[in-house]
Amino acid sequence: MAGSNVKKDHRDKEQLHISSFARLSQELGLGRSLGKTKEMGILNLGTDDEVEVWGYRRSWFKLGLTVVSIVLTAGLLGLPLYWIERFWLYCTSEQCSLADATQVLLVDHYKGIHTSRYVKDVKIIKHKEEDILLPVEDESNFKRTREIRFFNMKKRKYIWDSEDSNFFQCTGLDRNITLAELHSYSDGLSTLESDRRKVLYGENTIKVPVHGVLVLLVKEILTPFYVFQVFSVCFWYADQYWMYASAILLTSAVSLGAALYNTRTTQHNLRDTIVSSEAVSVFRADGTKVRVMSSDLVPGDLIEVPDHGCQMHCDAVLIEGQAIMNESMLTGESVPITKTSCPTEQMIYNSKEHEKHTLKCGTQVIQTRKHRGQTVRAVVIRTGYLTTKGDLVRSILYPPPVDFQFESDSYKFILVLAMIATIGMIYTLAKMVKDDESASDIVLEVFDLITIVVPPALPAAMTIGVVIAQQRLKIKKIFCISPRSINVAGSLDCVCFDKTGTITEDGMDMWGIIPSHLGLQSIEDHEKPASTEFCEPVKNVGEVKLESKILIGMSVCHELNVIDGEIMGDPLEEKIFESTDWSLELDGEEENQVDRLVMPYVRSPVRADESVIQAAPQRVMQFSSDIQCMSVICRVFQEHPDVGFSQPQCFVYCKGSPEKIRRICRKETIPPNYAAILDHYAGQGYRIIGIAYRPIPPDMAKTARINKLTRHEIESDLSFLGLIILENRIKPISTAVMKELHGANIRPIMVTGDNILTAVSVSRNCGLVPNSEKLIRVVATVEDGVPCVRYHPLAENAISEVDKLETKLDIAKRYNFALDGSSFDVISTYFRADLLPFIVRRGAVFARMRPDMKQQLVEILQDLDYFVGMCGDGANDCGALKAAHSGISLSEAEASVASPFTSKTPDISCVPLLIQEGRAALVTSFGIFKYMAAYSITQFISVMILYDIYSNLSDSQFLYIDLFIITSLAAFFGLNRAYEGRLADHPPDNSLISMLPLFSLLSQLAIVTTFQVIALFLTKSQDWFVGFDYENPCYTGTKAEGTFNKSGLLKLEKCDPEYDPVASYENYAIFSVSQFQYIILAIAFSKGAPYRKNIFNNLPIIFDIGILTAFSTYLVLTPHEVFINGFIIGFELFLPPQEEFRIILISLVLANVVVSIFFESYISDGLVKKFLRRKNTTHDILDEELQKKTDWPPVTESPGSDHSSPVKDSPMKNDVVITDKGVSDPNDAFDSLFSTPASISHTSAAIFLNPPPFSPKKGTPLSAINLKSSNESTPNKKSFNSALSTPGLTETDSSESSSKFVSCNSIAAENGLDHRRAADKGSEDSSDVYR
């Protein structure tokens, strides 16, 4: 029934989505251009993988017409149809319903800003009998059918559902299945059932495609780059440019061979790394146990996890026994993880929520635990690419288009070049037709311009910077599985950091404990009443009595394991256990009163009476980020040397975040000054953990009854024992990194699961929040259904008497916000359109954030136009690491499913290193792109000038320019290392189609054109000059005849126009200047500081420039005759008779050097850059608005609540109360918030928000941010797409869904708000995470 409701809800959402899409089509007037809605479906609705699917079927008429057209065009039409697959689909198929489709067009709108399209064939498997299993969408069962229709996209299978008339993703067994249903597989599958499921799921292998050499060769040759090369070579041979054509053919063959070798080697290496298979023991339904290959496993199989450990080849859920896992390959955490068997409950299995029961593919089983005679068993739930490891490989094979803007700009730029070539072609065509040239000459000359303007080597040149940066990062122990992300890392202007293990050390030092009187009470006196007040802090835990409740709890409440005689586990738990001086042992014999389940038990040091206390865990409820605590049920007894063992007592011990422990303890056991003590130590940056206990009566202490207890029953009605205090040391490098990021105007943000005051203290101490900036705590609560937001100042250091007297905040200084997960949740729910963007813009510390909240925050920052980096440990931060533009996982593994970057150096020093290399790679990519474009247009200008006199550059001149100058300079261009000084205070430009790169390129081209024209006119002004005559190429009968005869050019025998002579004074002048211009352009575009080292540090390019400059100078001044008329190396240079003129040309080149470098360094990178640098991003506009509002936020003294500073309660005067009352004018909403009076008569500032009934589809703006100031509207308003909402489409317009801010005295009275009560309730963090 639950499955049907889910299915109905899914169907309703999809129908809403499609109908909204249809309405949008009509509003835009697109009609059928977007297709009929019945021909379109939505896959993976509401997820990051959401795609549109359109149905098509083969049209034999259109197919025949297309084939005939391809034949008639000699295959030319087939090339664009091959390159752009959907064009082939359009030309050979017609739209139809999805039910009749033989092919589908998939449209993926990546984050609403980049669209990719894929064409896939719909495959059909038919059987005579109904023995094909078909998963029922959103339900856990299967149905039988004779036919299955499906297609594959990105290694995922999508199956047709005739009931919903749509395709749905084929998932594993983990679709709306309960834990009890998983246990129903405890007998295993029959062989017949296994074979049926194999038809559906296929082999359990992660296949990496390895193509044959011939296939790779054909694919590579048919790419646009090589097709253009083939066209160019054929054209040059036809135009008798055989020498240059042969050289290009040879270099292309070498390049093609290298590309094939690299591709095949990469495929083989990836396959060898990924693909593995071994024999696995599988239980069958008839009670037998068989050995099968892991590739034959299917979801539902029951496998045995061997005692000696193994590598997992599938995702499976433990239903019996325990396993200790090493998951470093996936999460980056090298700490062993204990996996326990899942309970038999009617709870829907969720891979994230029940992660502690899930064995993941690619991880290593270190050892198992079980009762005697028991077998550790697990049910396979996912195989192949459905597994966690499969996701990692998919992320490598199909990386997200993070650099889509640069790629898009590149295509636009090439299109501009093609347009320039077209203009030149039209001009040349018109001129040659006017001069009655032959058709063959016209075709050859016109098409020659295409090969000049569009550089075929551009794609290869573009990858140089990224490839080199990837190798340099590898040397610095930063590994990358998505090279395209490197350029994006150069644009980062905001970096989010996890705290524990990232900014601070993983390992902590025990500061001590603050026990209550009950905590120091002996375990034997657990029935006696004891005071609940705190005792004096105990710094040396060893001084506490061994039999005290808190000490036994510290020694037994953990997830530590003994592996190969060594205690391993979470470093925090290791420190706590180490401080007790107890030992962890693994004997497990019955005489030691230890349960048969081989779990470590703890043993105290010998007491004064020579007795020993032992505590044996019976059941462990593992730590969960969402539940924010862990607990253990244990039996405690004493061992006396004479008497033997005492009667065991059974207890529940629980430890977790102080807020969580307070909520699950009985109120009468909580010390009265709990909040003040907690805030005092948290404010000093200590890591604080609460601990509590409850005795279990003997009649409830039986193993069977213990195993039936739910987690909620175990973790409730506890008695508080005390606080465990640990010192959270900041890593030495963290402070320096924060200082460098601030200096580079890169915004650092702390996103942690720890206590907010601890996080604030660490952020101050490490420099994330400078001492010169104020920090304001945002507290958002919901009272009686009415949301309320308050702002309280936080002291810069320890709280002083002066701070206690403050009731107002000087916000003339820059301020930042700090808030916890519960406040973030309230603001995200009620104020996501109006208040949330401003809170996030100034937010510096986000504490008690769940993993999903971290990801939401990253997505919101991206909506505010930040380029966001995320640095974390790869475990709880996986979602945020994936969502960020550049995620960096601190891990010992070289590749992690968590993020595109993995650093083996366990600190945040990798962040500035990655930004440095990313900026260098980005500048290199821009520089080489501009260089290749400028080279093409420079050569185009030279050729157009010479075309005007029916001349051209000679083959040798083309060969020298293209093969020696351009190829060598482009190859060495990217070798400039990243600048090693301080990061610049702004990132480089990340858009090719923007004013600065365009001005840079156009100004250099203007300089190039100017100096070529000057050289030409300077030559023409000389007394000895004779213009080139195509009909008299050897200057017969002119004053230049003698000079020409002496030059040795007669030996070339090109006095007949049929041999395309080019030797002329004009050719000499243009070539002499232009050959230097290619070198000058490389120098001008090879930027140095602040993103790359100076060009002089790039020795290969300096050496290359020196050789090329020397040889070019030699060609201009006094070339040997062999370089004039020699075979292949003859440049056909007609040198002027006056050597002084040659020196003048060299002087002209020197002037070109000075002007080009001056324009690029001082005009383009200086004046123009300063003039164009303006704030136009969403976050900059928000910041400007906030700077204008000097009276916002309305700040009050912190109330005495659980998570405020220990300041005494004071009357509330400036609280911001958010109500559900509307305002008359939504345009004045934000103004009224800022203009809230701070007087007593205005008790509160009220804020209104009507959240829309449906949240927007991915990429659809939710509502406009109201940026209207009190004086005038802010220009360039930008919509804010909240990443927090559930995907769908809003039914209301922006005016209806916008939040509205009002300030009135009556609203609070109408709602009967009590501010202190709201603050007190808000103190309980509903989303705490203590790790």
Side-chain angles (χ1 to χ4, degrees):
M1 192 68 180
S4 350
N5 291 336
V6 171
K7 194 168 185 176
K8 182 179 183 302
D9 182 59
H10 173 86
R11 198 177 300 158
D12 291 343
K13 285 184 179 180
E14 185 169 320
Q15 189 58 43
L16 169 66
H17 190 114
I18 294 175
S19 61
S20 301
F21 188 90
R23 287 199 304 273
L24 176 63
S25 304
Q26 292 175 355
E27 288 171 8
L28 295 177
L30 297 176
R32 282 184 54 88
S33 64
L34 290 176
K36 295 175 291 186
T37 55
K38 70 177 183 180
E39 298 160 354
M40 188 268 282
I42 304 294
L43 305 181
N44 309 319
L45 185 64
T47 69
D48 289 339
D49 296 321
E50 181 178 310
V51 294
E52 297 166 7
V53 54
W54 301 82
Y56 285 83
R57 64 184 169 201
R58 181 58 48 82
S59 169
W60 296 107
F61 172 75
K62 294 174 75 173
L63 176 62
L65 190 63
T66 302
V67 171
V68 171
S69 302
I70 292 173
V71 172
L72 293 177
T73 57
L76 292 178
L77 178 62
L79 288 173
L81 298 184
Y82 171 76
W83 293 333
I84 307 175
E85 203 173 5
R86 70 177 186 277
F87 286 179
W88 173 261
L89 180 70
Y90 298 151
C91 292
T92 61
S93 303
E94 59 185 6
Q95 272 193 6
C96 66
S97 65
L98 291 174
D100 301 324
T102 57
Q103 287 181 299
V104 290
L105 173 65
L106 299 149
V107 184
D108 180 11
H109 301 287
Y110 176 74
K111 294 189 176 180
I113 48 179
H114 180 263
T115 301
S116 303
R117 295 175 177 85
Y118 310 91
V119 177
K120 300 296 176 183
D121 292 325
V122 177
K123 301 175 183 178
I124 301 176
I125 298 176
K126 290 184 179 181
H127 285 189
K128 293 181 179 180
E129 299 179 2
E130 289 188 350
D131 58 354
I132 299 177
L133 292 181
L134 191 66
V136 180
E137 187 183 8
D138 296 324
E139 294 184 20
S140 60
N141 57 321
F142 296 85
K143 62 183 179 183
R144 294 186 184 181
T145 182
R146 289 190 180 93
E147 177 181 294
I148 179 173
R149 298 177 68 239
F150 67 94
F151 65 86
N152 295 304
M153 184 187 74
K154 295 184 178 180
K155 306 300 181 184
R156 285 181 175 168
K157 180 183 286 187
Y158 294 87
I159 300 173
W160 174 251
D161 186 344
S162 55
E163 293 181 8
D164 272 0
S165 298
N166 197 9
F167 289 91
F168 67 94
Q169 183 182 336
C170 178
T171 57
L173 208 60
D174 56 329
R175 56 180 198 285
N176 272 12
I177 191 169
T178 65
L179 300 181
E181 286 179 296
L182 283 173
H183 276 275
S184 69
Y185 284 91
S186 58
D187 293 331
L189 299 178
S190 65
T191 304
L192 178 61
E193 181 71 10
S194 177
D195 292 340
R196 286 173 176 169
R197 296 193 180 196
K198 195 169 183 180
V199 174
L200 174 64
Y201 291 105
E203 286 191 348
N204 176 33
T205 54
I206 300 175
K207 295 180 180 178
V208 176
V210 178
H211 300 296
V213 175
L214 186 60
V215 174
L216 288 175
L217 179 63
V218 173
K219 281 190 170 185
E220 197 72 24
I221 288 177
L222 289 179
T223 58
F225 166 64
Y226 280 108
V227 166
F228 188 62
Q229 288 281 45
V230 170
F231 164 77
S232 301
V233 168
C234 293
F235 171 79
W236 290 325
Y237 274 120
D239 202 21
Q240 297 182 359
Y241 292 166
W242 65 268
M243 191 164 50
Y244 180 64
S246 299
I248 294 299
L249 184 63
L250 180 62
T251 55
S252 296
V254 173
S255 173
L256 181 61
L260 291 179
Y261 175 79
N262 288 334
T263 302
R264 191 161 171 79
T265 301
T266 302
Q267 289 180 350
H268 272 289
N269 290 342
L270 187 57
R271 185 189 64 178
D272 294 343
T273 303
I274 299 301
V275 178
S276 61
S277 183
E278 63 182 41
V280 180
S281 294
V282 177
F283 296 93
R284 291 301 180 202
D286 58 6
T288 60
K289 183 169 71 171
V290 297
R291 297 282 287 176
V292 301
M293 294 305 295
S294 59
S295 56
D296 293 326
L297 293 176
V298 295
D301 270 334
L302 183 67
I303 62 173
E304 178 185 9
V305 183
D307 297 342
H308 54 77
C310 66
Q311 183 177 4
M312 292 301 298
H313 295 278
C314 60
D315 285 357
V317 175
L318 273 175
I319 62 170
E320 194 173 312
Q322 297 182 2
I324 301 173
M325 309 294 296
N326 178 4
E327 296 188 341
S328 60
M329 184 262 185
L330 297 178
T331 65
E333 272 197 297
S334 56
V335 175
I337 308 295
T338 301
K339 304 287 185 174
T340 60
S341 57
C342 68
T344 310
E345 298 177 358
Q346 292 298 327
M347 180 186 296
I348 299 295
Y349 171 81
N350 180 280
S351 57
K352 185 178 291 185
E353 185 179 343
H354 299 103
E355 188 176 7
K356 294 293 185 179
H357 312 306
T358 307
L359 311 181
K360 298 177 183 178
C361 180
T363 61
Q364 193 78 24
V365 179
I366 302 173
Q367 69 180 41
T368 62
R369 290 177 181 165
K370 59 184 179 179
H371 292 283
R372 286 200 182 92
Q374 193 182 51
T375 304
V376 180
R377 306 183 183 202
V379 176
V380 177
I381 56 169
R382 292 183 291 264
T383 57
Y385 274 99
L386 296 175
T387 62
T388 313
K389 183 179 179 181
D391 274 339
L392 169 62
V393 180
R394 284 182 68 254
S395 66
I396 296 173
L397 295 177
Y398 308 105
V402 290
D403 59 346
F404 60 86
Q405 181 181 351
F406 184 68
E407 188 177 339
S408 174
D409 289 349
S410 303
Y411 291 139
K412 292 175 183 175
F413 224 107
I414 292 174
L415 185 62
V416 171
L417 295 180
M419 290 173 62
I420 293 173
T422 304
I423 294 171
M425 289 169 61
I426 294 171
Y427 170 78
T428 304
L429 178 65
K431 180 175 175 58
M432 295 186 74
V433 169
K434 182 181 178 181
D435 293 341
D436 294 327
E437 294 291 330
S438 65
S440 60
D441 286 346
I442 292 175
V443 170
L444 291 173
E445 296 297 334
V446 166
F447 279 98
D448 188 30
L449 291 174
I450 298 179
T451 66
I452 292 172
V453 174
V454 181
L458 182 61
M462 291 296 295
T463 61
I464 291 175
V466 171
V467 171
I468 293 174
Q470 187 177 10
Q471 295 302 316
R472 288 177 182 156
L473 286 172
K474 192 173 182 179
I475 294 172
K476 297 173 181 178
K477 297 184 179 180
I478 301 174
F479 299 90
C480 177
I481 63 171
S482 177
R484 299 174 64 164
S485 301
I486 295 177
N487 274 345
V488 182
S491 300
L492 295 183
D493 52 7
C494 175
V495 182
C496 298
F497 294 95
D498 183 30
K499 182 179 74 69
T500 307
T502 305
I503 294 177
T504 62
E505 298 282 1
D506 253 332
M508 300 185 190
D509 290 333
M510 276 293 296
W511 179 90
I513 60 174
I514 308 177
S516 67
H517 287 282
L518 180 62
L520 292 182
Q521 188 182 52
S522 171
I523 199 74
E524 300 168 350
D525 303 329
H526 68 87
E527 294 182 355
K528 295 181 181 180
S531 170
T532 59
E533 293 186 355
F534 279 120
C535 300
E536 290 296 318
V538 180
K539 286 199 171 184
N540 184 3
V541 179
E543 297 176 0
V544 178
K545 293 180 181 179
L546 295 175
E547 66 272 18
S548 63
K549 296 172 183 177
I550 190 170
L551 191 68
I552 294 174
M554 291 170 63
S555 65
V556 75
C557 190
H558 52 69
E559 299 177 57
L560 299 176
N561 296 293
V562 177
I563 300 174
D564 297 330
E566 184 180 351
I567 297 177
M568 299 184 69
D570 187 275
L572 180 144
E573 293 187 331
E574 286 185 35
K575 281 291 182 183
I576 295 175
F577 180 75
E578 183 183 313
S579 69
T580 64
D581 293 329
W582 287 44
S583 59
L584 193 66
E585 301 187 7
L586 254 180
D587 290 337
E589 297 296 330
E590 285 187 342
E591 61 266 28
N592 288 334
Q593 303 292 310
V594 180
D595 189 85
R596 289 182 180 180
L597 186 66
V598 183
M599 294 174 62
Y601 70 96
V602 295
R603 186 182 178 93
S604 73
V606 179
R607 301 165 69 191
D609 60 358
E610 296 186 354
S611 65
V612 174
I613 300 175
Q614 294 185 27
Q618 295 298 107
R619 187 174 172 191
V620 176
M621 307 303 292
Q622 294 174 310
F623 171 77
S624 166
S625 297
D626 294 325
I627 299 176
Q628 68 205 30
C629 68
M630 70 152 296
S631 57
V632 61
I633 299 177
C634 64
R635 289 197 176 114
V636 181
F637 49 87
Q638 298 181 38
E639 180 184 356
H640 296 273
D642 301 328
V643 183
F645 294 101
S646 66
Q647 186 67 27
Q649 296 173 288
C650 197
F651 298 95
V652 171
Y653 277 100
C654 180
K655 78 171 191 287
S657 68
E659 296 86 354
K660 172 68 175 182
I661 295 299
R662 176 176 182 172
R663 288 200 296 272
I664 60 179
C665 284
R666 291 182 293 124
K667 289 184 178 180
E668 61 269 21
T669 67
I670 300 295
N673 58 340
Y674 183 89
I677 293 294
L678 174 61
D679 291 348
H680 174 72
Y681 286 96
Q684 297 181 51
Y686 290 114
R687 183 74 175 270
I688 306 170
I689 296 173
I691 187 166
Y693 100 118
R694 185 181 79 240
I696 296 180
D699 60 324
M700 292 293 296
K702 295 179 180 179
T703 303
R705 290 195 172 186
I706 288 175
N707 290 336
K708 288 181 181 179
L709 291 173
T710 65
R711 182 159 192 167
H712 176 72
E713 291 172 338
I714 294 170
E715 296 170 349
S716 61
D717 200 31
L718 303 177
S719 297
F720 179 74
L721 297 179
L723 299 174
I724 303 170
I725 314 292
L726 299 103
E727 289 184 282
N728 203 179
R729 299 190 309 276
I730 296 173
K731 292 179 181 178
I733 195 67
S734 297
T735 304
V737 170
M738 294 301 171
K739 183 177 180 181
E740 185 168 11
L741 293 180
H742 279 298
N745 287 327
I746 297 174
R747 180 184 170 196
I749 297 175
M750 181 183 291
V751 190
T752 178
D754 209 341
N755 179 281
I756 187 168
L757 295 182
T758 302
V760 166
S761 175
V762 171
S763 68
R764 286 288 193 192
N765 292 335
C766 73
L768 185 143
V769 178
N771 289 328
S772 60
E773 297 182 7
K774 295 286 185 181
L775 201 55
I776 301 172
R777 180 166 183 189
V778 182
V779 180
T781 56
V782 178
E783 266 296 302
D784 299 326
V786 180
C788 173
V789 178
R790 297 181 178 87
Y791 306 88
H792 309 302
L794 289 171
E796 295 182 16
N797 297 301
I799 296 169
S800 63
E801 292 301 319
V802 176
D803 295 321
K804 293 182 182 181
L805 295 174
E806 281 190 334
T807 56
K808 296 182 70 177
L809 174 71
D810 177 15
I811 56 176
K813 293 184 178 180
R814 181 170 177 83
Y815 61 90
N816 297 287
F817 291 129
L819 63 158
D820 55 32
S822 60
S823 298
F824 179 78
D825 203 25
V826 170
I827 294 173
S828 301
T829 303
Y830 294 95
F831 316 111
R832 62 176 176 267
D834 283 15
L835 184 59
L836 180 64
F838 296 92
I839 296 295
V840 172
R841 173 60 188 90
R842 287 291 178 91
V845 178
F846 294 82
R848 293 294 187 218
M849 297 284 280
R850 296 192 307 268
D852 60 309
M853 288 181 173
K854 294 182 180 182
Q855 180 176 346
Q856 291 168 1
L857 176 62
V858 168
E859 292 171 350
I860 294 169
L861 288 165
Q862 291 172 335
D863 289 336
L864 298 183
D865 293 341
Y866 278 109
F867 281 86
V868 186
M870 174 72 197
C871 184
D873 58 13
N876 291 334
D877 307 316
C878 282
L881 288 166
K882 281 185 174 181
H885 289 104
S886 296
I888 314 168
S889 173
L890 304 184
S891 167
E892 294 181 2
E894 290 191 11
S896 168
V897 72
S899 62
F901 297 99
T902 305
S903 173
K904 280 193 172 183
T905 305
D907 57 48
I908 62 174
S909 61
C910 58
V911 173
L913 290 177
L914 176 61
I915 295 174
Q916 279 180 345
E917 291 295 346
R919 288 181 170 186
L922 185 59
V923 170
T924 297
S925 296
F926 270 52
I928 204 163
F929 192 96
K930 290 194 298 182
Y931 178 65
M932 296 301 288
Y935 137 67
S936 298
I937 298 177
T938 299
Q939 196 170 78
F940 172 77
I941 292 168
S942 302
V943 170
M944 288 301 297
I945 291 173
L946 294 175
Y947 268 16
D948 195 54
I949 59 171
Y950 292 100
S951 182
N952 201 347
L953 297 174
S954 69
D955 286 7
S956 297
Q957 290 170 352
F958 274 121
L959 190 67
Y960 175 62
I961 292 170
D962 293 345
L963 198 60
F964 291 94
I965 296 180
I966 302 302
T967 303
S968 62
L969 289 176
F972 297 138
F973 193 96
L975 296 181
N976 278 39
R977 294 186 176 275
Y979 185 67
E980 294 180 353
R982 294 180 62 86
L983 289 172
D985 60 1
H986 58 278
D989 285 306
N990 54 20
S991 174
L992 277 172
I993 312 298
S994 60
M995 284 302 298
L996 187 60
L998 287 177
F999 177 84
S1000 170
L1001 179 61
L1002 294 176
S1003 63
Q1004 291 299 320
L1005 291 176
I1007 294 169
V1008 162
T1009 306
T1010 300
F1011 277 92
Q1012 287 195 28
V1013 171
I1014 290 174
L1016 180 65
F1017 280 97
L1018 193 63
T1019 304
K1020 287 183 176 181
S1021 66
Q1022 303 302 311
D1023 295 336
W1024 40 260
F1025 174 78
V1026 176
F1028 179 71
D1029 183 359
Y1030 186 70
E1031 299 296 332
N1032 182 23
C1034 291
Y1035 294 90
T1036 305
T1038 66
K1039 59 182 177 181
E1041 181 179 6
T1043 307
F1044 187 86
N1045 294 338
K1046 292 179 184 177
S1047 66
L1049 289 169
L1050 284 176
K1051 295 180 181 179
L1052 293 174
E1053 300 179 354
K1054 286 192 175 183
C1055 291
D1056 190 336
E1058 292 296 323
Y1059 293 106
D1060 292 328
V1062 298
S1064 63
Y1065 288 134
E1066 295 95 331
N1067 170 280
Y1068 170 82
I1070 295 298
F1071 172 73
S1072 296
V1073 173
S1074 68
Q1075 64 175 334
F1076 285 104
Q1077 288 178 331
Y1078 302 114
I1079 303 173
I1080 296 168
L1081 288 169
I1083 297 171
F1085 290 143
S1086 186
K1087 308 284 186 182
Y1091 306 119
R1092 305 199 307 170
K1093 283 188 174 181
N1094 193 285
I1095 190 174
F1096 294 106
N1097 290 284
N1098 186 349
L1099 296 181
I1101 200 171
I1102 291 297
F1103 186 68
D1104 187 39
I1105 288 173
I1107 293 176
L1108 293 173
T1109 302
F1111 185 71
S1112 297
T1113 305
Y1114 171 70
L1115 288 179
V1116 172
L1117 296 178
T1118 56
H1120 191 273
E1121 187 175 329
V1122 71
F1123 291 111
I1124 295 177
N1125 57 20
F1127 178 70
I1128 296 181
I1129 59 174
F1131 285 79
E1132 300 184 37
L1133 293 172
F1134 186 20
L1135 274 67
Q1138 294 181 359
E1139 293 185 3
E1140 294 82 0
F1141 180 76
R1142 304 175 197 174
I1143 296 174
I1144 291 173
L1145 284 184
I1146 296 296
S1147 303
L1148 192 64
V1149 169
L1150 293 176
N1152 192 344
V1153 173
V1154 173
V1155 173
S1156 291
I1157 294 178
F1158 173 80
F1159 252 82
E1160 187 67 18
S1161 301
Y1162 296 98
I1163 305 299
S1164 179
D1165 287 348
L1167 296 177
V1168 176
K1169 198 170 190 177
K1170 289 179 181 177
F1171 176 76
L1172 293 175
R1173 191 183 298 170
R1174 63 175 182 269
K1175 299 179 179 181
N1176 54 7
T1177 60
T1178 302
H1179 63 83
D1180 284 327
I1181 295 172
L1182 291 173
D1183 198 48
E1184 288 175 357
E1185 282 299 314
L1186 289 173
Q1187 288 176 6
K1188 294 176 184 176
K1189 306 299 181 181
T1190 56
D1191 56 346
W1192 190 87
V1195 181
T1196 66
E1197 183 181 349
S1198 301
S1201 64
D1202 293 344
H1203 48 201
S1204 62
S1205 302
V1207 181
K1208 302 298 182 183
D1209 288 333
S1210 62
M1212 296 292 176
K1213 296 181 181 179
N1214 300 323
D1215 291 352
V1216 178
V1217 180
I1218 298 140
T1219 76
D1220 55 358
K1221 300 292 180 183
V1223 293
S1224 57
D1225 185 3
N1227 292 325
D1228 295 331
F1230 197 72
D1231 291 343
S1232 63
L1233 168 71
F1234 281 115
S1235 60
T1236 301
S1239 62
I1240 297 176
S1241 61
H1242 284 75
T1243 310
S1244 61
I1247 301 174
F1248 165 78
L1249 175 68
N1250 287 320
F1254 299 99
S1255 304
K1257 171 182 177 289
K1258 169 179 61 173
T1260 306
L1262 178 67
S1263 59
I1265 305 175
N1266 190 345
L1267 298 177
K1268 186 179 178 183
S1269 65
S1270 56
N1271 301 322
E1272 58 182 356
S1273 298
T1274 304
N1276 303 324
K1277 287 188 179 181
K1278 191 157 186 173
S1279 61
F1280 173 66
N1281 172 23
S1282 174
L1284 302 170
S1285 42
T1286 317
L1289 278 179
T1290 178
E1291 290 281 349
T1292 58
D1293 60 25
S1294 60
S1295 65
E1296 292 173 338
S1297 60
S1298 294
S1299 304
K1300 306 158 194 171
F1301 291 77
V1302 297
S1303 172
C1304 61
N1305 196 36
S1306 59
I1307 296 176
E1310 287 180 17
N1311 289 277
L1313 292 180
D1314 181 272
H1315 301 300
R1316 285 194 184 88
R1317 187 158 54 89
D1320 289 341
K1321 184 165 183 177
S1323 66
E1324 296 186 1
D1325 294 316
S1326 62
S1327 56
D1328 297 342
V1329 185
Y1330 81 90
R1331 276 186 197 173

